[in-house]
Amino acid sequence: MTDLLDPVRKAAAVAPERPARTPAARTARRKALLHWIAVHSLGIAAALFFVLPFVFVVLTSLMSDQQALTRDLTPNTWEWGNYERVFKTPGFLTWWRNTLLYAGLGTVLTVVSSIPVAYALAKFRFRGRKLSLMLVISMMMLPPQVVIIPMYLFWAKQMDLSGTLWPLIIPMAFGDAFSIFLLRQFLLTIPNEYLDAAKVDGCGEFRTLMKVVLPMARPGIAAIALFQFFAAWNDYFGPQIYASENPAAWTLSYGLESFKGAHHTDWNLTMAATVLVMAPVIAVFFFAQKAFVEGVTLTGVKG
């Protein structure tokens, strides 16, 4: 038995002693722990700051008419029928259809019309390219309220399209300054060697754009599509100007204001309508979050 323990004793004698933890090491570890706690506490506080209002809206939408005006934070009875009552409100489904038409068709037109312009500004070398880029940037700085009067006179008096959403949808077929600039910044990150290789293989500019550039630019395209979809879905100013005189052309953002005025004492129904308006946008962002974040991040790599 002694012979078996001798190698163990020799190894223990040869092994270096574990240094004792110094006060400086303990202080550094304590600072690291406090930093971790502070950062995560701020993160949790910020998350609660954004999440709690939405939770309040959802819980209120599931309360009864009487409980919605009390200080209760949770429903005594879960009134899921509030959402059915909102859907049965006259005009609500029409507002949904108009909003999907406005946001969906407008997003498609914006993406299709902005891609060629952004591609030309990013990859072509022509006289006046910098001036064209400056014009695009200047259009981003121009508030829409500045040109609303001449635009309204044109669409309402000359084209006779007042009371419809077409004055808001048709201009999207001619590109959007913000979408062009954002996509141009993303296309600058695509190496020119890929384009040159495609042209050596016999591809023209259009085929190079369709076969090489667009597959590599999917995150940027997803970013501008989401930006445009969110802007159209939440647009209140445009429908108020052009479609306010025709309830059949109202969108959800404008119709929600009318709904709130008609049910100003029924806060549960107002909150239920609000949840139904927000839910599609939240769902779209949730499923496209990865492409959206990647597209926005890579747009600032090159200038």
Side-chain angles (χ1 to χ4, degrees):
M1 187 67 179
T2 305
D3 295 338
L4 295 175
L5 293 177
D6 285 341
V8 178
R9 292 171 180 171
K10 293 179 180 179
V14 174
E17 294 184 0
R18 185 176 181 181
R21 184 171 295 172
T22 62
R26 289 195 296 268
T27 302
R29 184 173 182 179
R30 188 181 300 111
K31 288 183 178 180
L33 179 60
L34 293 176
H35 180 267
W36 184 89
I37 294 175
V39 170
H40 285 75
S41 299
L42 290 175
I44 294 173
L48 292 176
F49 180 79
F50 288 101
V51 171
L52 286 180
F54 179 74
V55 173
F56 172 78
V57 171
V58 173
L59 292 178
T60 305
S61 69
L62 296 173
M63 294 181 180
S64 61
D65 297 341
Q66 296 77 15
Q67 189 186 3
L69 298 177
T70 64
R71 297 181 179 181
D72 295 340
L73 297 179
T74 58
N76 295 330
T77 58
W78 299 83
E79 300 290 342
W80 297 99
N82 291 339
Y83 292 96
E84 182 180 358
R85 293 171 61 185
V86 171
F87 266 112
K88 290 183 178 180
T89 301
F92 192 82
L93 292 180
T94 302
W95 304 341
W96 262 85
R97 184 180 66 249
N98 294 336
T99 305
L100 288 175
L101 174 66
Y102 177 29
L105 182 58
T107 299
V108 172
L109 292 176
T110 299
V111 171
V112 172
S113 59
S114 298
I115 288 176
V117 182
Y119 177 63
L121 292 176
K123 298 301 181 181
F124 290 179
R125 297 295 181 265
F126 57 91
R127 182 178 299 178
R129 182 172 65 95
K130 292 184 178 180
L131 178 61
S132 301
L133 180 60
M134 292 302 298
L135 290 176
V136 171
I137 296 176
S138 63
M139 291 300 296
M140 293 171 53
M141 301 178 182
L142 186 66
Q145 291 81 2
V146 174
V147 297
I148 191 60
I149 294 179
M151 292 295 294
Y152 179 81
L153 293 177
F154 172 77
W155 290 111
K157 303 301 181 182
Q158 301 297 326
M159 304 301 295
D160 194 24
L161 290 176
S162 61
T164 68
L165 294 174
W166 292 112
L168 301 174
I169 297 175
I170 294 177
M172 296 182 184
F174 299 95
D176 174 70
F178 177 75
S179 300
I180 292 172
F181 177 77
L182 191 68
L183 188 58
R184 181 253 181 192
Q185 295 299 108
F186 185 88
L187 294 180
L188 288 175
T189 64
I190 299 178
N192 293 330
E193 286 76 9
Y194 290 103
L195 281 66
D196 297 337
K199 293 175 182 178
V200 169
D201 291 340
C203 295
E205 293 293 350
F206 180 76
R207 190 176 179 185
T208 301
L209 174 63
M210 299 299 295
K211 298 295 185 179
V212 178
V213 176
L214 291 188
M216 300 180 66
R218 287 178 182 174
I221 295 174
I224 66 171
L226 287 176
F227 273 124
Q228 185 59 43
F229 183 84
F230 294 160
W233 187 275
N234 296 321
D235 186 18
Y236 178 83
F237 180 75
Q240 183 187 28
I241 296 298
Y242 293 105
S244 59
E245 62 190 61
N246 181 16
W250 287 0
T251 60
L252 282 172
S253 58
Y254 189 76
L256 184 61
E257 182 67 23
S258 174
F259 184 92
K260 186 175 68 174
H263 300 82
H264 61 278
T265 58
D266 301 327
W267 285 105
N268 55 337
L269 298 182
T270 302
M271 295 301 180
T274 303
V275 171
L276 292 176
V277 172
M278 293 189 301
V281 178
I282 296 174
V284 169
F285 181 79
F286 178 79
F287 288 107
Q289 181 179 7
K290 182 179 180 181
F292 176 77
V293 173
E294 183 180 357
V296 173
T297 302
L298 293 179
T299 52
V301 174
K302 297 180 68 176

